[in-house]
Amino acid sequence: MAKVLIIGGGIVGLSSAYYLQKAGHAVTVLDRGDMTDSCSYGNAGMIVPSHFIPLATPGMVSQGIKWMFNSKSPFYVRPSLNPQLVSWGLKFLQKANAGHVERSAIPLTELSLLSKKLYSDLSKEPGFDFDLVEKGILMFYKTEKAGEEEAHMAEKARELGLDMAVLTPAECVKLQPNLELDVLGAVHYRCDAHLSPNKLMTALIKHLKGKGVNLVTNKEVTKIDTAGGKVTRVLSHNEEFTADQYIVAGGSWSPAIGKLLGVKILLMPGKGYSFNVKEEVASMQIPALLAEARVAITPMNGGLRYGGTMELDKINSRINMNRVKGIVESVPKYFPGLKPAVPAEKDIWFGFRPSSADGLPYIGRNKNFNNLVIATGHGMMGLSLAAATGLLVQEVISGTKTSIGIADFAPDRG
Ligand SMILES: Cc1cc2nc3c(=O)[nH]c(=O)nc-3n(C[C@H](O)[C@H](O)[C@H](O)COP(=O)(O)OP(=O)(O)OC[C@H]3O[C@@H](n4cnc5c(N)ncnc54)[C@H](O)[C@@H]3O)c2cc1C
């Protein structure tokens, strides 16, 4: 069995630790923070096999340009000559075509369905109460144009064998009679689920500690030494950590960690916001996605969590209140009875989605260092795909056959 060191204690790092420990490896996780507030906490908690379309689509390019000029829009790229953004943008444009979308659907669906099954299994283990609810997700739309796009997507979902149904407003009301609606319809992705990410992270940390996994907090990896095609040690300032196998699971910081190794990991941080409202949740039992507004609403911890926006920029701690207002103002347009107030800045959470340009995660061995595995780039689906990623990382490290093919996720793909 191997001694494994994981850089990054978000959901991807901790899921990897979970399956590695279970397979008998000796695991250490290093994190620059205290593992209580990464992107893996404040997200919308959705488990989404329905998301088999990568961010890079032909429609997203034209829509993204229009959104750039609206300060309340859900998507924004800060124009800059930052080389990372330029390379990312070029790759995004190269991949925003129907062929790539088509080719990505099957591997993404396989990864998602495996992950959902693993979360379902995990929720039955003692100590893992993270409020997993398998009632699906409703994708609501208000306009004919979005309705057509969603119907097309629903047809693709059907071809992929996903459990879903296109609903009229009356059928939506039957599902949630107390939710006042102003929509043209919805697609009920019954294949989806939701959970409380905060509870999941807390349960994983408790479990891993109990199993003797070494969780080392407040240690930023600042240097990585290599020799003879291998990683030889990792340093946090003057402190040294060694292992047989190393995993980079640093979320949006992975490119900076890659730089310490001379390895290029092409991704951009996609900042998003969320806030919780302790309101009556009887009206909403099934999470909602608002198609045109790109807002997510999830019943969670006795209230509702609202989330949205994707700002591609350098990592920074600015809160753009206009975009938060954009989220708030979109809600009553779909649900006239739900009128969340604009939250105070202190109550707004933000996180950085580690977004690859082609919309597929990076999972697998690096070609330059034979004891290095990369596990990042999951973008909008990091929670959803983390369990399967953790299992695949374990299988790669153990040298066993992977549960699904991982060629499409190769970190060194073009
Ligand atoms: C508003 C919003 C809503 C979202 N909703 C959903 C959803 O509904 N479903 C879904 O599937 N996904 C969702 N996501 C995306 C999801 O949250 C992320 O993809 C996921 O959390 C990424 O996990 P990660 O482990 O890769 O990264 P992170 O959670 O960011 O963890 C990376 C860790 O690496 C550590 N680290 C970084 N650099 C170093 C270093 N040098 N040394 C040591 N440690 C380091 C960091 O401290 C951090 O703890 C959402 C995201 C946002 C912002």
Side-chain angles (χ1 to χ4, degrees):
M1 287 297 126
K3 203 174 150 193
V4 185
L5 188 137
I6 302 173
I7 305 172
I11 188 63
V12 173
L14 295 187
S15 299
S16 304
Y18 172 84
Y19 291 104
L20 284 161
Q21 184 282 327
K22 210 171 176 185
H25 299 286
V27 185
T28 295
V29 185
L30 277 190
D31 200 286
R32 68 205 279 273
D34 61 3
M35 293 190 203
T36 61
D37 185 27
S38 61
C39 190
S40 303
Y41 280 85
N43 62 63
M46 295 183 174
I47 305 302
V48 281
S50 61
H51 284 37
F52 50 85
I53 302 281
L55 185 63
T57 60
M60 189 60 195
V61 175
S62 51
Q63 181 64 67
I65 291 169
K66 283 184 212 146
W67 273 334
M68 288 281 290
F69 299 99
N70 175 355
S71 67
K72 290 183 179 170
S73 72
F75 183 77
Y76 178 72
V77 185
R78 181 176 293 277
S80 132
L81 290 177
N82 160 12
Q84 181 86 358
L85 176 61
V86 173
S87 310
W88 191 96
L90 290 173
K91 177 66 74 186
F92 183 91
L93 289 174
Q94 184 201 334
K95 294 291 176 180
N97 63 68
H100 173 68
V101 171
E102 193 73 36
R103 278 191 299 279
S104 306
I106 291 177
L108 275 178
T109 305
E110 278 183 357
L111 190 62
S112 273
L113 290 175
L114 172 62
S115 222
K116 189 184 165 207
K117 154 92 176 59
L118 293 172
Y119 277 127
S120 186
D121 294 347
L122 190 63
S123 70
K124 292 174 193 115
E125 282 191 25
F128 278 103
D129 179 10
F130 47 85
D131 300 345
L132 179 70
V133 181
E134 302 194 44
K135 286 187 185 169
I137 283 174
L138 282 158
M139 171 70 84
F140 289 98
Y141 48 87
K142 282 185 69 70
T143 58
E144 297 280 356
K145 184 170 174 281
E148 274 166 31
E149 284 166 11
E150 293 308 325
H152 176 69
M153 201 85 90
E155 191 43 46
K156 284 253 163 243
R158 199 189 308 278
E159 284 167 19
L160 287 164
L162 296 173
D163 183 14
M164 45 64 61
V166 180
L167 305 183
T168 61
E171 288 167 328
C172 297
V173 171
K174 264 196 202 153
L175 271 182
Q176 298 182 112
N178 299 324
L179 183 64
E180 200 185 333
L181 289 180
D182 184 3
V183 298
L184 273 188
V187 183
H188 186 193
Y189 285 101
R190 291 186 288 235
C191 52
D192 289 356
H194 72 283
L195 55 78
S196 163
N198 306 60
K199 287 189 181 175
L200 173 64
M201 289 293 287
T202 307
L204 268 171
I205 288 172
K206 190 166 175 218
H207 170 89
L208 292 172
K209 280 184 180 163
K211 291 286 179 186
V213 170
N214 188 16
L215 299 182
V216 189
T217 53
N218 301 310
K219 295 277 180 237
E220 179 174 3
V221 171
T222 51
K223 191 169 185 283
I224 303 179
D225 287 343
T226 61
K230 273 183 175 305
V231 176
T232 50
R233 65 174 187 163
V234 156
L235 289 125
S236 175
H237 301 286
N238 293 326
E239 207 170 331
E240 169 187 291
F241 298 86
T242 56
D244 307 314
Q245 302 277 342
Y246 296 82
I247 300 165
V248 174
S252 288
W253 292 265
S254 299
I257 299 168
K259 219 170 179 181
L260 302 174
L261 287 151
V263 169
K264 190 168 178 185
I265 302 175
L266 185 58
L267 58 82
M268 282 296 293
K271 194 203 267 174
Y273 303 101
S274 76
F275 56 93
N276 301 311
V277 177
K278 284 263 165 244
E279 60 197 324
E280 181 55 63
V281 286
S283 59
M284 189 178 285
Q285 313 256 312
I286 302 175
L289 282 169
L290 314 185
E292 297 89 347
R294 310 266 166 148
V295 164
I297 311 174
T298 312
M300 204 182 287
N301 308 330
L304 292 180
R305 176 171 289 178
Y306 294 89
T309 84
M310 175 79 127
E311 290 172 16
L312 294 177
D313 193 357
K314 282 188 181 155
I315 290 178
N316 65 67
S317 54
R318 278 192 302 270
I319 291 184
N320 185 329
M321 282 310 282
N322 262 347
R323 273 181 225 290
V324 178
K325 283 180 194 156
I327 298 176
V328 168
E329 288 167 12
S330 69
V331 177
K333 292 181 185 160
Y334 295 74
F335 313 119
L338 283 184
K339 295 188 180 78
V342 176
E345 237 182 84
K346 67 172 178 43
D347 297 325
I348 299 169
W349 173 90
F350 58 86
F352 301 95
R353 305 171 182 92
S355 308
S356 66
D358 63 7
L360 298 174
Y362 300 114
I363 309 169
R365 284 205 183 276
N366 168 267
K367 68 170 191 277
N368 297 331
F369 302 107
N370 63 21
N371 61 345
L372 176 67
V373 170
I374 311 286
T376 188
H378 299 73
M380 305 187 290
M381 300 178 284
L383 170 75
S384 200
L385 302 178
T389 301
L391 178 65
L392 293 169
V393 164
Q394 181 277 114
E395 291 167 343
V396 169
I397 296 269
S398 303
T400 53
K401 187 174 182 311
T402 51
S403 299
I404 57 170
I406 58 170
D408 292 291
F409 310 126
D412 306 300
R413 64 182 178 265

